[in-house]
Amino acid sequence: MTLLWIPLLTLLGVLVPILTERYGRYLCTLATAIPPVIALILTLGQIPALLEDVVPRISLAWIPSMGLDLAFRMDGLSLLFAILILGIGLLIILYACFYLSAQEATGRFYAYLMLFMTAMLGIVMADNLILLWLFWELTSLSSFLLIGFWSYRSDARKGARMAMTVTGAGGLALLAGLLLLGDVVGSFNIGEVLASKDLILADERYPIILILVLLGAFTKSAQFPFQFWLPHAMAAPTPVSAYLHSATMVKAGIFLMARLHPALGGSELWMVIVTLTGLATMLYGAWFALFKTDLKGILAFSTVSHLGLITVLLGIGSPMAILAALFHILNHATFKAALFMSAGIIDHETGTREVGKLGNLRRAMPVTALLTTIASAAMAGVPFLNGFLSKEMFFTESLVAPLLGGLSWMIPTLATLGGILSVAYSLRLVHAVFFKPARVEPPKHPHEPPHLMRLPVEILVVLCIAVGLFPAALATGILTLATGALLEEPLAFHLAIWHGINLPLLMSIIAIIVGIAIYLLHQPINRFVKQFSPMDARLIFEASIQRLVAGTEVVTQRLENGSLQRYMSFLLGAALILATLGLVQLPTLAGTKPTQPMDGIVLWGAAMLIFSGIGTAVTHRYRLISLLMLSVVGLMVSLTFARFSAPDLALTQLSVEVVTMILLMLALFFLPQRTPRESSARRTIRDVALAAALGMVVASLNYAVLTRDIDSIANFFIENSVPGGGGHNVVNVILVDFRGFDTLGEITVLAIAGLGIFKLLNRLRLYMPHSDNEGRLWSPDRYPMILTSVSQTLLPLALLVSAFIFLRGHNQPGGGFIAGLVTAVALILIYMARGVEWTQSRLDFPYQPVAIGGVAVATLTGLGSWVFDRPFLTSAFGHFHLPLVGDFELATAMLFDLGVYLAVVGATLMILANLGKLTTPHRPSKEPQQPSKEKS
Amino acid sequence: METLYAITTGVLSACGLFLTLRGRTFPVVAGLTLLSYAVNLFLFSMGGLTTDGAVIVNGGEEYADPLPQALVLTAIVIGFAMTAFSVILAMRARGDLGSDHVDGRKLEESRGDRG
């Protein structure tokens, strides 16, 4: 459990500064430092176990189905990084207390910092690939918040966005790589992944995995060609730069490479990609560090360069190279964090970070000058400092790197070149700021910072010297543990300052001498470089983002021009392509099932269908005729259902047809009677071709299905209908029992559609024609006598029929849907015959509650089965005996069907009666308005 | 018979789709209705075409497939709700925008060659 507490403490630490901010800055700082201190103690407490070769682990299942566990480990590598993260983090907390001005939101800043610390600890301690990735993304997010802390500054926002974009994109690549890796290994557990090197290297997906994982690592660690975001992230407050961009976040990529080296490393591909990328990054960063004028810019590029150096070592991958890489991680973190903090002090005390505006500061700030000089010397690789030792080891390894074959001398040469540049920019940094005479006065009068602000720098510089002088005593222990986590066999090594006069020493000497020479020649080189127009990564990045946006806008405008007709044709075109692709894969269109013989009636029916269907389309500009044609189609469809053994469907279709036609007729009254001719011939041809092609696809598909034998699940329903549902009409039993839940959904949709229409018609004002299309006035005979009499006589009869259809529905064709529609048709007939007002005065109730009540009845029937401890919508039935009536059957499904009935009646009348209401008050009429109850 | 059935479904779908591609709301609604007829016929035929085999269980031998029938039955009712909703929407659009073009554009604009 101790392991779990380490990240958990820092996570809880997010709350501490927010809660304690009101008690003043110093107390807030102190309180914030408590969780990391405890976490650091707990981390150090793991050392005894590690010394006994036991790796402390903890694993809690989180989402086991995804292979995601809350698993942490603390091996030597995790330990090294955890100490760095927590140790430097504590120094940063102390430093930030003095760095941030009084007006700034210290609590928020510390909260972000703790969040970031948690994320970093999560990365280095994760024992599960997915968990590692989650923390990886969390560092991207929290670093976005930290870099953009001064959100009122444009460069901070842009820098934060750029860092987020680049590392986020890399994170996605990493996720893909890790998922593949987990798939190859069969587990996301890091321990298992590290043990499966042979399996991974042998898999054909290895190159893809490697490239994806390295993309993640390279973007995070600012390796060439993704280095450009790091200098722009310097818009962050300096404590952030010191923490994220020296010791932690940019080292996450390095950590990932080190962590996965036992699993992915050692191949030719790894060596080539990683080593060459590292070399390119190292030289690129060092070269540009030489010409930056911003203190933090110099440090940013030098960080890029040193990250490249570590990457080269990891690429070489020999045991000694790994050791050198880990050692340099440690050393770089100490001297670079010290330098960043010094730069922050200089900025803080003088008001500028521009090298040109600074100079001769050694008089005003002697202690800071001394500290910065020592740290810079460590960075340059001056003997007796820690940077020298790891750089020496780097030179040694570059000499024996088994790479590039005959050109292998290139690597030590380029390594020396990197060393030379490193000496030159370190020298420039120190000399220009502290020793060169100042050309202009800095904005503020410089003086030494408060001692506590300088304390973190002092601690780090002391460490630089101590490790430089007594490497064996101070660094051997931790490095043994860390290399132990990465290498199969324990590595015996001895860290020493003096290895005798050898080639690496010579390389160091060359680096220092030539580096000094280059700094002396700085002016002419600078002039030479200035001839080239400077490349600002931010401008290029912004420009490419803007090009991307412009490009997508063009595509969007092409596709989405506001014309629904165009979308429709795209949609149909896509459907056509997909369906055609599917059909082409059929070996033959016709299946093996023999076709049935045709008879005359079917032929006539089909002819009528085709004729009226085409008629509807052809006459669409004469809407009334088109509508009549459409009603013929509906009628013929109903007959088709009757012909092919579907009486329920035939009844439903017939009654729906009546309602639909009344509705469309009513609607047509308010809409233009004719459609203007506006499609161009080309458009019409295109539409005909598209529709015809799709029609052919539908026909082929239908034919293909009809001529094949189908293994249907129908028998289940037929066999269980009577014993399980208590009904002989299987279709009705399916609707109200087997698939009752679907039906419940469907009547709900119906009721919602009715309510939607009710709202749409609310306060709708429509233009109402006084005459028809040819100028004839509407008939003055509003309510024809015959229709009036017939409809009134028919109503009780129709209601009786609908009750009959409803009751017999369970065993004979019929049921709630059909009965509801019949009732609705009978009522609508009254509306049509006598007008809305007349009807409403006699049938005065709103239909909305009916529809909703129907849905409620159906739902309650379903819920009722819960009372009897049965699943939702379980039905029960039984036979009862009543005198006179005799034996009869009652089923709860009947109650459900009643709900269906009510919903259908309510929804249908809600739609039609409300639409009908629109006509009445304004309808041109020669008759006097009939008085109605509502108006009085 | 299967061939004829398939051809009929195809023709009805083609006519319906042609109408849905028109620029005025009423033909589009008619097209949707026609298309839903075609789709219902299509779905109905997924169980095969059976003559004299209504699924009223009474000891008979040959029954039609009840499942597509049940699905189509609700589809018919839902289809009605959809037609009603779209036609009322069309009326509302005309009432509010003064045009019955599907894009809600005026007549003069719609004569342009957009799309």
Side-chain angles (χ1 to χ4, degrees):
Chain A
M1 275 317 277
T2 337
L3 276 192
L4 199 59
W5 273 110
I6 297 172
L8 205 59
L9 270 170
T10 50
L11 187 64
L12 292 175
V14 174
L15 296 174
V16 173
I18 298 172
L19 296 176
T20 56
E21 192 180 10
R22 73 189 79 160
Y23 303 114
R25 167 168 299 202
Y26 296 107
L27 203 70
C28 177
T29 308
L30 203 62
T32 310
I34 294 170
V37 167
I38 302 174
L40 187 60
I41 293 169
L42 289 179
T43 308
L44 295 174
Q46 306 297 319
I47 293 177
L50 277 172
L51 286 176
E52 285 167 24
D53 258 352
V54 182
V55 175
R57 288 165 196 251
I58 185 170
S59 179
L60 305 171
W62 186 359
I63 311 176
S65 56
M66 274 172 55
L68 176 56
D69 297 322
L70 200 62
F72 294 105
R73 58 153 60 207
M74 181 61 86
D75 57 11
L77 187 66
S78 310
L79 181 78
L80 172 75
F81 273 92
I83 291 174
L84 268 184
I85 292 162
L86 290 166
I88 296 192
L90 281 168
L91 298 181
I92 296 292
I93 289 173
L94 174 61
Y95 176 78
C97 175
F98 297 94
Y99 181 84
L100 292 176
S101 67
Q103 302 87 354
E104 277 168 324
T106 324
R108 190 161 59 94
F109 181 82
Y110 281 145
Y112 292 162
L113 204 67
M114 295 306 285
L115 185 66
F116 175 79
M117 196 185 277
T118 312
M120 275 313 294
L121 282 173
I123 290 183
V124 301
M125 288 174 61
D127 199 13
N128 179 292
L129 288 179
I130 309 278
L131 188 69
L132 187 148
W133 180 81
L134 281 177
F135 283 116
W136 183 277
E137 290 298 287
L138 191 59
T139 58
S140 291
L141 283 175
S142 48
S143 74
F144 173 80
L145 293 171
L146 283 169
I147 296 171
F149 182 71
W150 288 326
S151 54
Y152 52 87
R153 277 171 43 179
S154 155
D155 60 338
R157 291 197 304 270
K158 283 180 178 159
R161 196 173 65 181
M162 194 193 285
M164 177 84 169
T165 313
V166 177
T167 55
L172 285 180
L174 176 66
L175 176 64
L178 292 181
L179 288 177
L180 277 176
L181 186 59
D183 193 42
V184 169
V185 179
S187 162
F188 288 107
N189 183 283
I190 288 183
E192 284 180 42
V193 170
L194 296 186
S196 332
K197 177 172 184 168
D198 297 335
L199 187 69
I200 296 165
L201 288 188
D203 198 280
E204 58 181 6
R205 284 170 287 180
Y206 170 71
I208 304 172
I209 296 174
L210 181 64
I211 287 168
L212 287 171
V213 170
L214 287 182
L215 268 177
F218 287 173
T219 46
K220 201 78 162 179
S221 281
Q223 295 296 297
F224 186 83
F226 306 109
Q227 80 295 334
F228 57 88
W229 68 265
L230 183 56
H232 290 285
M234 291 301 140
T238 300
V240 174
S241 308
Y243 194 36
L244 272 66
H245 306 130
S246 72
T248 54
M249 190 175 90
V250 291
K251 296 266 168 65
I254 303 281
F255 168 80
L256 184 75
M257 284 192 269
R259 171 59 92 205
L260 292 178
H261 183 265
L264 294 175
S267 70
E268 191 91 347
L269 195 63
W270 165 285
M271 222 179 269
V272 172
I273 297 180
V274 178
T275 312
L276 294 186
T277 308
L279 271 177
T281 313
M282 181 179 82
L283 293 174
Y284 180 95
W287 176 256
F288 281 95
L290 203 51
F291 301 103
K292 282 282 145 184
T293 54
D294 174 23
L295 276 182
K296 275 174 80 179
I298 299 174
L299 292 175
F301 275 100
S302 97
T303 303
V304 169
S305 171
H306 281 269
L307 291 170
L309 187 155
I310 301 170
T311 307
V312 174
L313 285 168
L314 286 172
I316 293 171
S318 64
M320 282 307 285
I322 298 279
L323 173 71
L326 293 173
F327 195 24
H328 200 68
I329 288 171
L330 208 58
N331 294 338
H332 177 251
T334 32
F335 64 68
K336 192 53 69 67
L339 282 172
F340 265 118
M341 287 194 251
S342 303
I345 290 173
I346 293 165
D347 184 15
H348 202 255
E349 302 305 330
T350 63
T352 180
R353 297 196 315 242
E354 279 298 311
V355 174
K357 293 183 187 163
L358 296 166
N360 212 13
L361 284 179
R362 73 173 188 283
R363 289 189 196 287
M365 343 171 55
V367 183
T368 310
L370 179 68
L371 293 171
T372 313
T373 310
I374 296 171
S376 296
M379 175 160 82
V382 172
F384 307 113
L385 292 167
N386 59 358
F388 170 75
L389 297 168
S390 45
K391 192 158 266 188
E392 198 82 334
M393 287 159 83
F394 167 61
F395 288 149
T396 314
E397 290 311 308
S398 72
L399 283 169
V400 296
L403 202 71
L404 296 182
L407 287 176
S408 57
W409 55 271
M410 292 273 288
I411 295 175
T413 313
L414 293 176
T416 317
L417 183 59
I420 292 170
L421 292 171
S422 172
V423 170
Y425 67 68
S426 306
L427 191 58
R428 172 157 173 261
L429 181 74
V430 173
H431 184 255
V433 174
F434 295 106
F435 297 97
K436 207 171 65 175
R439 275 177 287 180
V440 286
E441 274 293 302
K444 284 199 236 168
H445 182 67
H447 55 81
E448 281 287 345
H451 183 247
L452 276 176
M453 187 176 186
R454 218 174 51 207
L455 184 66
V457 189
E458 285 166 0
I459 294 173
L460 290 171
V461 168
V462 166
L463 272 175
C464 283
I465 301 171
V467 172
L469 289 176
F470 312 106
L474 290 169
T476 309
I478 180 94
L479 287 177
T480 312
L481 289 176
T483 48
L486 293 182
L487 301 173
E488 287 165 19
E489 289 159 18
L491 178 70
F493 60 91
H494 178 66
L495 299 173
I497 308 172
W498 181 249
H499 290 279
I501 296 174
N502 52 13
L503 208 49
L505 185 66
L506 195 65
M507 285 159 81
S508 285
I509 294 169
I510 292 174
I512 291 172
I513 294 173
V514 181
I516 293 169
I518 285 198
Y519 177 64
L520 294 177
L521 290 173
H522 184 252
Q523 292 301 336
I525 298 177
N526 216 353
R527 249 176 278 140
F528 172 72
V529 169
K530 275 191 178 154
Q531 296 169 10
F532 306 102
S533 57
M535 273 206 319
D536 190 340
R538 187 167 60 205
L539 293 181
I540 297 169
F541 181 78
E542 288 292 325
S544 50
I545 293 276
Q546 273 166 16
R547 267 201 300 279
L548 188 68
V549 170
T552 46
E553 261 172 17
V554 169
V555 174
T556 310
Q557 275 165 5
R558 285 264 169 83
L559 288 174
E560 196 183 321
N561 64 348
S563 161
L564 294 178
Q565 275 175 287
R566 163 174 278 218
Y567 304 163
M568 190 70 193
S569 59
F570 282 157
L571 200 66
L572 294 183
L576 179 65
I577 292 167
L578 289 176
T580 314
L581 285 178
L583 274 175
V584 167
Q585 286 169 6
L586 280 182
T588 54
L589 185 62
T592 49
K593 196 171 158 188
T595 55
Q596 300 169 32
M598 212 173 342
D599 58 55
I601 297 174
V602 171
L603 193 62
W604 271 109
M608 281 290 279
L609 263 176
I610 292 174
F611 169 77
S612 48
I614 294 178
T616 313
V618 170
T619 61
H620 77 270
R621 295 200 298 114
Y622 304 92
R623 293 180 173 179
L624 188 62
I625 300 173
S626 179
L627 193 55
L628 293 177
M629 288 285 190
L630 186 64
S631 74
V632 176
V633 179
L635 214 58
M636 292 311 296
V637 168
S638 149
L639 291 177
T640 312
F641 289 142
R643 167 69 181 74
F644 294 112
S645 326
D648 289 278
L649 288 192
L651 282 171
T652 316
Q653 176 67 46
L654 194 66
S655 36
V656 163
E657 188 54 34
V658 175
V659 184
T660 310
M661 281 310 136
I662 294 172
L663 172 76
L664 290 181
M665 286 278 192
L666 258 175
L668 191 55
F669 175 68
F670 295 101
L671 291 168
Q673 311 298 304
R674 297 264 174 92
T675 306
R677 186 188 287 278
E678 50 185 3
S679 299
S680 61
R682 212 154 149 205
R683 164 78 71 86
T684 312
I685 289 169
R686 185 198 76 181
D687 290 352
V688 168
L690 194 58
L694 273 164
M696 276 186 252
V697 165
V698 171
S700 316
L701 198 60
N702 202 354
Y703 183 72
V705 175
L706 279 174
T707 52
R708 279 168 170 77
D709 275 314
I710 306 151
D711 186 19
S712 171
I713 54 170
N715 280 333
F716 169 83
F717 295 110
I718 293 171
E719 279 158 19
N720 287 289
S721 173
V722 179
H728 292 269
N729 181 2
V730 185
V731 176
N732 185 265
V733 174
I734 291 177
L735 283 175
V736 298
D737 194 336
F738 290 128
R739 312 285 307 162
F741 202 54
D742 293 359
T743 311
L744 181 61
E746 265 150 316
I747 57 173
T748 314
V749 171
L750 193 66
I752 289 172
L755 286 174
I757 288 169
F758 178 64
K759 289 307 285 179
L760 274 178
L761 289 175
N762 196 16
R763 292 196 204 170
L764 176 61
R765 289 280 162 268
L766 283 168
Y767 162 75
M768 248 172 292
H770 286 259
S771 59
D772 78 350
N773 210 41
E774 259 123 54
R776 291 173 296 206
L777 291 174
W778 300 112
S779 161
D781 188 10
R782 282 186 70 181
Y783 305 117
M785 173 69 90
I786 299 177
L787 186 61
T788 321
S789 328
V790 169
S791 66
Q792 260 176 285
T793 329
L794 221 53
L795 181 65
L797 213 59
L799 290 178
L800 196 65
V801 168
S802 113
F804 171 67
I805 288 179
F806 176 79
L807 286 175
R808 74 174 206 158
H810 219 44
N811 294 312
Q812 292 290 320
F817 273 114
I818 302 165
L821 287 164
V822 171
T823 308
V825 170
L827 287 172
I828 287 163
L829 199 63
I830 297 283
Y831 273 95
M832 291 203 335
R834 302 306 293 253
V836 173
E837 284 167 12
W838 187 91
T839 317
Q840 264 190 346
S841 64
R842 280 154 188 81
L843 201 67
D844 188 21
F845 61 94
Y847 294 107
Q848 290 86 298
V850 178
I852 294 163
V855 178
V857 167
T859 315
L860 286 175
T861 314
L863 291 175
S865 50
W866 280 356
V867 178
F868 302 99
D869 269 347
R870 297 292 170 83
F872 187 62
L873 276 173
T874 311
S875 74
F877 60 92
H879 292 268
F880 300 91
H881 184 80
L882 272 185
L884 289 177
V885 184
D887 254 343
F888 74 107
E889 191 186 304
L890 266 182
T892 54
M894 209 81 143
L895 211 55
F896 184 79
D897 220 10
L898 182 68
V900 174
Y901 171 84
L902 288 175
V904 170
V905 173
T908 313
L909 282 169
M910 200 177 357
I911 295 165
L912 282 168
N914 282 317
L915 185 56
K917 263 187 222 166
L918 287 179
T919 55
T920 328
H922 311 284
R923 179 153 176 190
S925 164
K926 288 177 182 162
E927 282 182 19
Q929 291 265 324
Q930 289 183 354
S932 72
K933 279 182 194 167
E934 283 116 324
K935 288 199 169 171
S936 55
Chain B
M1 194 141 69
E2 276 78 2
T3 323
L4 193 62
Y5 191 96
I7 290 172
T8 313
T9 334
V11 169
L12 290 184
S13 330
C15 294
L17 290 172
F18 173 75
L19 286 177
T20 55
L21 286 165
R22 298 300 90 211
R24 297 287 165 160
T25 49
F26 196 79
V28 171
V29 174
L32 283 175
T33 315
L34 197 53
L35 186 64
S36 67
Y37 290 152
V39 170
N40 286 344
L41 284 177
F42 181 86
L43 286 179
F44 170 63
S45 72
M46 290 299 109
L49 301 176
T50 319
T51 310
D52 293 335
V55 255
I56 313 296
V57 182
N58 50 13
E61 287 293 300
E62 187 82 3
Y63 292 119
D65 193 336
L67 202 57
Q69 292 195 16
L71 296 180
V72 170
L73 200 152
T74 45
I76 291 171
V77 181
I78 293 283
F80 162 68
M82 186 197 69
T83 307
F85 193 82
S86 53
V87 80
I88 306 282
L89 194 63
M91 286 170 60
R92 178 91 213 192
R94 179 156 192 264
D96 290 359
L97 302 166
S99 153
D100 71 335
H101 197 279
V102 286
D103 301 340
R105 283 184 276 131
K106 297 277 187 296
L107 191 63
E108 309 82 68
E109 291 175 55
S110 63
R111 283 193 194 283
D113 57 352
R114 291 175 77 189

